[in-house]
Every structure is written in C-alpha cells, then in structure tokens.
Amino acid sequence: MGDTDVTTATEPGAPWLIVGLGNPGPDYAMNRHNVGFMVADLLAGRIGGKFKRAGKAQAQVIEGRIGPPGPGSRRVILAKPMSYMNLSGGPVTALRDFYKVPTAHIVAVHDELDIDYGVLRLKLGGGDNGHNGLKSMTKAMGPDYHRVRFGIGRPPGRMQVADFVLKDFSAAERKELDYFVDRAADSVESLVIDGLERAQSSYNS
C-alpha cells in the first residue's frame, strides 16, 4: 500500500522523524511561525545533541533516542528544515527516504491559528488549514503523517494572518511560552513512546 500505510509504523526498529517547522535565521527566531523550531531545540537539549547539516538534504538534524534506556526507547531523527516554511516538503521527503522512515512515523510540530494560545492538539492526517509548511509536506508525500499543533490563536483586529505569524510572541505570551514549549516537547515524546491515543488523552486539552 506504499509508504502511507499506517501498518508500516509498527515495524520493529522503524525510526521516527520529528520535524519542527519554521523559518531559518535570527530574524525569524522568536516568530509565532517558528514555534516548531523552538520545540525541536528543546528536544535536542533533552537528547543531548547538536544540530548538524544533513548531507544533501536542506535541513539540520540530530539522531538519538527518546524514552527510557532499553527496549522502550525509540530511535528518532530530529529535524529543522532550512528551506523556509513554504518549501518544507522537499527536505522532509529527502530525510524520510534517506532514513527509511514510514510516513506514519513522521511528526510535524507547527503553529496553529485556529487553536487558542498554548493549547495542543495531536492528530494523524488531515488538511493543512492554510499552513504553508503542512501544505508543502502534504504535496510532497501525502497527508498521512502526525501533527502536533501548537495553538497561537487568531490575529487581533484587522491584522493580516501573514503579518501575525511572522511577528514575535508578545511580552504577555512570552511569560508562558517556555512552559507551553516544554509541554509540547513532552507531547511529542508521549506520541512516539506511548502512541497517538494515549498522547491525545494526556495532551489534547
């Protein structure tokens, strides 16, 4: 049935590809659109590695394991595409093919406009809801990958969506940002170790 067959996700030893979505460069670092990078950076600290350029793929990666030592741990490739958000599909597909990752073992961590700030929603498959990173990924490999959706809320007043997502989190939002990013990283670990249903029951609020 191809690489979107969810049953392939249960193959012993199949790695997970965790993709934090964002835009590269210091000008974008604290943008709402870059919360996926923030979660990836926190997970990198937990794994204990440093991002490095991934060969021909336009991405930075860390290879490591998540979970308790022994058979309960999972092999993961943590990635940040360096192609800009609307071209994320190319680097992710290259990493999927290189590491032989089933599509159902890919997790995209991204900002979500239609969810209140800091609220998480985990799911498998679905539409892109206008998110350019998801749109690029789905065009490249289909929709059957996991998503960790980090709520950023809707822009105030008449502010355009494009302006809102490319602005830094507000001073009020930054007071809770570290907590919410930490919780999002926890949810990724739970998804990989415990499975989607248990992670949803714990983190979908």
Side-chain angles (χ1 to χ4, degrees), residues 29-100:
M30 290 303 297
N31 287 182
R32 294 180 178 92
H33 222 19
N34 267 45
V35 73
F37 274 18
M38 298 174 196
V39 175
D41 286 337
L42 181 57
L43 287 168
R46 294 181 181 183
I47 290 173
K50 292 185 178 181
F51 282 102
K52 61 182 180 181
R53 183 68 71 170
K56 295 180 179 179
Q58 199 172 357
Q60 292 183 350
V61 300
I62 295 173
E63 297 181 57
R65 301 193 76 86
I66 282 177
S73 69
R74 301 288 184 269
R75 181 185 170 214
V76 298
I77 299 96
L78 188 60
K80 296 193 296 185
M82 294 285 111
S83 57
Y84 290 97
M85 182 72 83
N86 62 348
L87 298 173
S88 299
V92 175
T93 303
L95 293 172
R96 178 200 65 177
D97 293 347
F98 180 79
Y99 288 103
K100 297 179 173 57

Side-chain angles (χ1 to χ4, degrees), residues 42-200:
L42 181 57
L43 287 168
R46 294 181 181 183
I47 290 173
K50 292 185 178 181
F51 282 102
K52 61 182 180 181
R53 183 68 71 170
K56 295 180 179 179
Q58 199 172 357
Q60 292 183 350
V61 300
I62 295 173
E63 297 181 57
R65 301 193 76 86
I66 282 177
S73 69
R74 301 288 184 269
R75 181 185 170 214
V76 298
I77 299 96
L78 188 60
K80 296 193 296 185
M82 294 285 111
S83 57
Y84 290 97
M85 182 72 83
N86 62 348
L87 298 173
S88 299
V92 175
T93 303
L95 293 172
R96 178 200 65 177
D97 293 347
F98 180 79
Y99 288 103
K100 297 179 173 57
V101 180
T103 301
H105 266 206
I106 296 173
V107 183
V109 185
H110 64 92
D111 57 302
E112 178 60 62
L113 286 161
D114 285 341
I115 303 175
D116 290 340
Y117 174 60
V119 174
L120 297 175
R121 291 283 190 276
L122 283 67
K123 70 174 187 175
L124 173 64
D128 57 58
N129 199 26
H131 191 287
N132 287 333
L134 298 182
K135 190 177 298 183
S136 178
M137 286 181 61
T138 296
K139 182 179 179 181
M141 60 187 182
D144 297 325
Y145 52 91
H146 287 86
R147 299 102 188 278
V148 172
R149 307 157 71 203
F150 186 110
I152 60 171
R154 280 277 167 184
R158 297 185 178 183
M159 183 184 293
Q160 295 296 309
V161 166
D163 295 330
F164 179 69
V165 299
L166 293 176
K167 284 187 179 295
D168 290 357
F169 285 101
S170 69
E173 289 169 333
R174 286 197 296 270
K175 291 179 181 178
E176 295 183 291
L177 182 60
D178 287 348
Y179 168 76
F180 289 140
V181 169
D182 189 74
R183 191 166 182 269
D186 289 346
S187 77
V188 173
E189 293 184 340
S190 177
L191 171 59
V192 170
I193 297 166
D194 303 321
L196 179 60
E197 288 188 10
R198 288 185 63 183
Q200 285 175 324

Side-chain angles (χ1 to χ4, degrees), residues 2-26:
D3 57 24
T4 60
D5 183 3
V6 176
T7 60
T8 62
T10 61
E11 291 176 2
W16 286 78
L17 175 59
I18 301 166
V19 182
L21 293 179
N23 288 306

